[in-house]
Amino acid sequence: MENTYNFKEVMSREERLAPGHRMCAGCGGTVTVRAVLRALRPGDRAVVGNATGCLEVSSFMYPFTAYEDSYIHNAFENAGATLSGVETAYRVLKKKGKIEDTFKFITFSGDGGTYDIGFQSLSGAMERGHDMVYVCYDNGAYMNTGTQRSSATPQYADTTTTPAGKVSDGKIQVRKDLTAIMAEHHIPYAAQTTFTGNFKDLHTKAERAIYTPGAAFLNVMSPCPRGWGYDPSELMTICRLAVDTCYWPLYEVIDGKWMLNYIPKKKLPIEDFLRPQKRFKHLFKPGREELLVRFQAEVDRQWEALRRRCEL
């Protein structure tokens, strides 16, 4: 599939997420939704699913939504099942000649509803091969209910259920690599991205995900200023640091072929990504130096494993 990116043309497309929602300033979730929906081609319509979470409670105030397209609020655990059912109904109605318009099926869910609670319905939808896109706006915790840890939460992060203190280093487990797990479902397209530069990487991957026939998964790192503890104006800086430290590599898997989309000219130390975030402030106190060494070692291990998968 050939993709072109004209920043001015893309940004001039109609907004499909209306203003007036209640998402926080500096929230990555809102940016994710706007950018993904902007990848829809003019004239195409969408059915948008949305699992319970920050995005849902802030963009859907019954009976009103912030979405210009058809919208379905589903429970925490069944975003994948809901959209796969709608997509199946659409194919039947299309075959019978009852629908002529082109619809795309896109569902959004946070990491809690994707990595954890909704993993079963997500896995089923991907394995069955429904022509839909599942977008995870990964903010690394259950932010809507008070910043509890999820399996997407980074190691040593301070959350309300893994509090850092004198006898605790925060969450002790390494985060789940869900993008790789989705790729192992043998779906046509899986990708990992975030907000960098002029949004080319995010737009290109969103367009590929939407217009690749079959199941597609898009994992977008979407920082949360309240849960991560950064100034809202630093959203893009946090994302760039995540990419340049190789904490959040930009890659995609197309029909089983792994491709690394960006290799930093100078790989930054993980401290550069962690230091601006209050959830990691305990790692920079005297006596915690070894934790930073372990964190760096894990990032390096995963980065090298990814390079091998991409045959680099």
Side-chain angles (χ1 to χ4, degrees):
M1 178 179 178
E2 192 69 29
N3 293 85
T4 59
Y5 181 69
N6 183 314
F7 177 79
K8 186 174 290 188
E9 185 275 325
V10 169
M11 292 302 166
S12 67
R13 292 181 184 178
E14 63 174 325
E15 287 285 357
R16 293 179 184 248
L17 183 72
H21 54 74
R22 302 181 295 183
M23 296 292 274
C24 299
C27 168
T30 314
V31 182
T32 295
V33 174
R34 292 179 65 198
V36 170
L37 294 182
R38 197 177 280 122
L40 284 161
R41 295 168 186 166
D44 285 353
R45 302 170 68 185
V47 175
V48 177
N50 190 189
T52 298
C54 288
L55 180 63
E56 176 271 316
V57 300
S58 299
S59 63
F60 172 54
M61 290 69 77
Y62 182 82
F64 305 103
T65 83
Y67 296 87
E68 300 293 345
D69 292 281
S70 299
Y71 175 83
I72 303 175
H73 164 222
N74 32 250
F76 229 141
E77 68 275 9
N78 65 338
T82 299
L83 260 288
S84 63
V86 175
E87 184 269 344
T88 301
Y90 167 75
R91 282 189 286 109
V92 172
L93 292 172
K94 190 92 167 178
K95 186 177 181 179
K96 291 182 177 181
K98 294 185 176 182
I99 294 179
E100 295 182 358
D101 293 334
T102 298
F103 280 87
K104 296 298 180 180
F105 302 89
I106 307 169
T107 193
F108 296 96
S109 178
D111 52 280
T114 304
Y115 284 66
D116 300 336
I117 299 174
F119 180 77
Q120 183 177 7
S121 68
L122 163 62
S123 179
M126 296 293 103
E127 186 273 334
R128 290 189 300 271
H130 293 277
D131 191 6
M132 58 176 282
V133 183
Y134 192 110
V135 181
C136 176
Y137 64 99
D138 186 345
N139 55 33
Y142 290 86
M143 300 304 182
N144 180 49
T145 52
T147 318
Q148 297 89 357
R149 61 89 83 193
S150 75
S151 60
T153 304
Q155 190 176 30
Y156 304 131
D158 177 26
T159 75
T160 52
T161 49
T162 58
K166 293 181 179 179
V167 296
S168 171
D169 297 324
K171 184 192 173 205
I172 61 173
Q173 297 85 4
V174 174
R175 66 183 304 277
K176 184 189 293 184
D177 188 354
L178 187 60
T179 311
I181 294 171
M182 287 299 104
E184 294 302 328
H185 281 64
H186 310 296
I187 59 178
Y189 191 74
Q192 189 163 285
T193 185
T194 189
F195 324 131
T196 57
N198 63 359
F199 285 83
K200 180 179 180 179
D201 190 79
L202 175 52
H203 174 81
T204 301
K205 289 173 178 174
E207 187 179 35
R208 282 179 180 157
I210 293 170
Y211 291 100
T212 294
F217 177 77
L218 200 59
N219 203 4
V220 187
M221 192 187 79
S222 307
C224 170
R226 290 177 60 84
W228 293 23
Y230 62 86
D231 185 275
S233 65
E234 296 299 311
L235 172 63
M236 296 292 285
T237 299
I238 292 290
C239 292
R240 284 197 299 271
L241 289 171
V243 173
D244 284 334
T245 58
C246 299
Y247 168 79
W248 191 264
L250 305 179
Y251 70 92
E252 57 190 342
V253 186
I254 303 177
D255 291 325
K257 181 175 177 58
W258 290 67
M259 287 170 280
L260 194 55
N261 307 117
Y262 174 75
I263 300 176
K265 291 181 180 179
K266 180 182 179 182
K267 183 171 176 284
L268 299 178
I270 194 60
E271 289 95 326
D272 289 7
F273 170 64
L274 303 179
R275 195 180 296 276
Q277 305 176 51
K278 290 182 180 178
R279 61 177 177 164
F280 293 115
K281 65 180 181 180
H282 57 289
L283 298 183
F284 296 93
K285 293 181 178 179
R288 298 286 178 88
E289 294 82 5
E290 179 59 28
L291 300 183
L292 287 172
V293 173
R294 294 178 192 171
F295 203 123
Q296 183 69 69
E298 179 60 27
V299 169
D300 293 344
R301 184 192 68 79
Q302 293 194 27
W303 174 246
E304 291 306 317
L306 177 60
R307 287 176 62 95
R308 289 194 296 273
R309 276 175 159 165
C310 298
E311 300 181 355
L312 295 174

